[in-house]
């Protein structure tokens, strides 16, 4: 009997030690994922940087006031130079001026550079990676990492909280990236929140199975309140990221030239564009 008890105790100790080791390994693995995710937040800091990206944005439900975007963009950032091109629009920024070119309307607008363009670029890129503090990430998200094959990995962050009254997570972030260079290949981001809708919209959405579990009807001060879980979805596919190009695709003098009288006019190829200057 004593021998049996000893054997059982040894088995229990082995099970406990194994479970502890598995928990520790899981914690270490999770911490590794958070660290790798934080590393992804620094890929765009190396300058100069040129990025070609297909950008998509949509909001569901799609009712008035919710725009959708599906376009190819080209971005360049070199510290003192910034260039963006999308859908026939160009934005050229240097230390002193912002040049906005609309090739469809053949108009060029000039603004003094107050530093906001560079600030907005950093804010835009920061959207791809939230607060990269490991403690902050661990507080807000559950992390998973998968090998996608051909040298690619994918990290998925899921928020630890759900939209009030539903089982839908508030946020899901997915980044697919090159496991060696940590350059992003694709980015998918969903944010969810409650939004009020009128009774007609609510009734129409209730007929759509895609909104099962996303609709809430309640009473507040004897008034009916209709809510829907609104989703904002951002998709990006990075088709090129380069740090070797030493200048933007276009500079200020490629679009406008300043005459002897101080007035701006279109540069070669842009002579028939209307050029306006905003000094505000």
């Amino acid at each position: 009997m004593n021998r049996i008890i000893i054997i059982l105790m040894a088995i229990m100790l082995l099970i406990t030690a194994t479970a502890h080791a598995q928990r520790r390994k899981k914690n270490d693995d999770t911490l590794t994922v958070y660290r790798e995710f934080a590393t992804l937040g620094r890929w765009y800091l190396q300058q100069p940087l040129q990025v070609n990206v297909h950008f998509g944005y949509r909001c569901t439900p799609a009712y008035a006031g919710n725009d959708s975007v599906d376009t190819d963009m080209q971005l360049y950032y070199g510290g003192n130079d910034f260039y963006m091109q999308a859908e026939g629009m160009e934005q050229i920024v240097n230390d002193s001026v912002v040049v906005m070119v609309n090739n469809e309307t053949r108009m060029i607008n000039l603004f003094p550079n107050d530093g906001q363009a560079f600030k907005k670029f950093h804010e835009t890129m920061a959207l791809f990676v939230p607060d990269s503090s490991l403690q902050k990430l661990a507080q807000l998200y559950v992390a998973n990492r998968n090998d996608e094959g051909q040298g690619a990995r994918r990290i998925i962050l899921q928020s630890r909280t759900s939209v009030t009254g539903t089982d839908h997570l508030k946020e899901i972030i997915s980044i697919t990236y090159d496991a060696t260079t940590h350059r992003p290949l694709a980015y998918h981001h969903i944010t969810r929140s409650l939004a009020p809708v009128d009774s007609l919209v609510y009734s129409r959405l209730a007929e759509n199975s895609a909104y099962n579990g996303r609709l809430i009807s309640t009473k507040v001060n004897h008034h009916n309140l209709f809510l829907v879980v609104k989703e904002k979805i951002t998709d990006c596919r990075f088709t090129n990221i380069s740090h070797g190009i030493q200048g933007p695709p276009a500079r200020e003098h490629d679009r406008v030239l300043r005459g002897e009288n101080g007035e701006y006019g279109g540069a070669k190829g842009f002579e028939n564009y209307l050029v306006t200057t905003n000094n505000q």
Side-chain angles (χ1 to χ4, degrees):
M1 178 66 70
N2 290 337
R3 183 179 179 184
I4 293 175
I5 292 174
I6 292 173
I7 292 174
L8 289 174
M9 290 178 63
I11 292 173
M12 292 299 296
L13 287 172
L14 178 62
I15 292 174
T16 302
T18 301
H20 177 74
Q22 289 177 339
R23 284 196 300 270
R24 181 175 179 179
K25 182 178 186 300
K26 183 176 181 182
N27 290 336
D28 289 344
D29 289 346
T30 301
L31 184 59
T32 299
V33 176
Y34 289 132
R35 284 174 175 161
E36 191 151 357
F37 188 83
T39 300
L40 292 173
R42 297 189 288 269
W43 67 269
Y44 67 92
L45 297 179
Q46 181 182 341
Q47 300 172 19
L49 168 68
Q50 180 168 314
V51 180
N52 291 2
V53 58
H54 183 83
F55 178 83
Y57 171 83
R58 65 188 186 279
C59 182
T60 63
Y63 46 81
N66 289 326
D67 296 328
S68 62
V69 177
D70 187 38
T71 187
D72 291 308
M73 298 178 62
Q74 182 180 13
L75 297 169
Y76 176 90
Y77 181 54
N80 295 324
D81 292 295
F82 174 81
Y83 175 88
M84 180 182 70
Q85 184 275 327
E87 296 187 336
M89 302 283 291
E90 292 179 296
Q91 181 175 337
I92 301 168
V93 184
N94 57 34
D95 286 337
S96 59
V97 68
V98 177
V99 182
M100 303 290 293
V101 182
N102 188 326
N103 290 297
E104 182 178 350
T105 63
R106 295 182 176 272
M107 295 182 62
I108 300 177
N109 296 318
L110 282 78
F111 302 86
N113 181 13
D114 59 1
Q116 290 300 308
F118 294 134
K119 180 181 178 181
K120 287 181 180 179
F121 169 75
H122 281 282
E123 290 175 349
T124 298
M125 302 311 294
L127 291 177
F128 293 103
V129 180
D131 191 323
S132 56
S133 160
L134 298 185
Q135 182 179 5
K136 189 74 171 180
L137 289 174
Q139 289 175 347
L140 296 177
Y141 304 100
V142 176
N144 291 287
R145 183 180 64 185
N146 302 311
D147 288 326
E148 299 293 297
Q150 298 182 336
R153 288 178 183 163
R154 181 161 67 116
I155 289 179
I156 301 174
L157 298 185
Q158 296 181 315
S159 61
R160 295 182 179 275
T161 56
S162 300
V163 178
T164 303
T166 77
D167 295 327
H168 293 279
L169 298 177
K170 286 186 176 181
E171 188 176 18
I172 300 174
I173 302 169
S174 169
I175 298 183
T176 304
Y177 59 100
D178 185 293
T180 302
T181 65
H182 288 94
R183 291 183 178 179
L185 304 172
Y187 169 84
H188 184 74
H189 188 190
I190 301 175
T191 59
R192 299 186 177 110
S193 60
L194 287 178
V197 293
D198 61 38
S199 59
L200 293 178
V201 172
Y202 182 91
S203 299
R204 186 170 69 251
L205 295 177
E207 297 174 355
N208 188 339
S209 60
Y211 289 91
N212 289 347
R214 290 178 58 183
L215 298 172
I216 296 176
S217 174
T218 187
K219 281 186 176 294
V220 177
N221 297 329
H222 306 292
H223 294 285
N224 292 322
L225 180 63
F226 302 99
L227 302 167
V228 62
V229 176
K230 180 173 67 174
E231 290 187 339
K232 294 181 179 180
I233 304 168
T234 301
D235 281 299
C236 293
R237 295 196 309 274
F238 298 90
T239 56
N240 177 62
I241 297 176
S242 173
H243 295 287
I245 299 174
Q246 296 302 315
R251 298 183 186 272
E252 174 190 350
H253 62 260
D254 295 316
R255 299 295 182 262
V256 293
L257 295 173
R258 192 168 189 171
E260 295 180 356
N261 60 357
E263 296 293 328
Y264 282 94
K268 185 178 179 180
F270 296 84
E271 296 92 343
N272 60 346
Y273 278 53
L274 175 63
V275 180
T276 60
T277 302
N278 189 329
N279 294 319
Q280 296 294 324

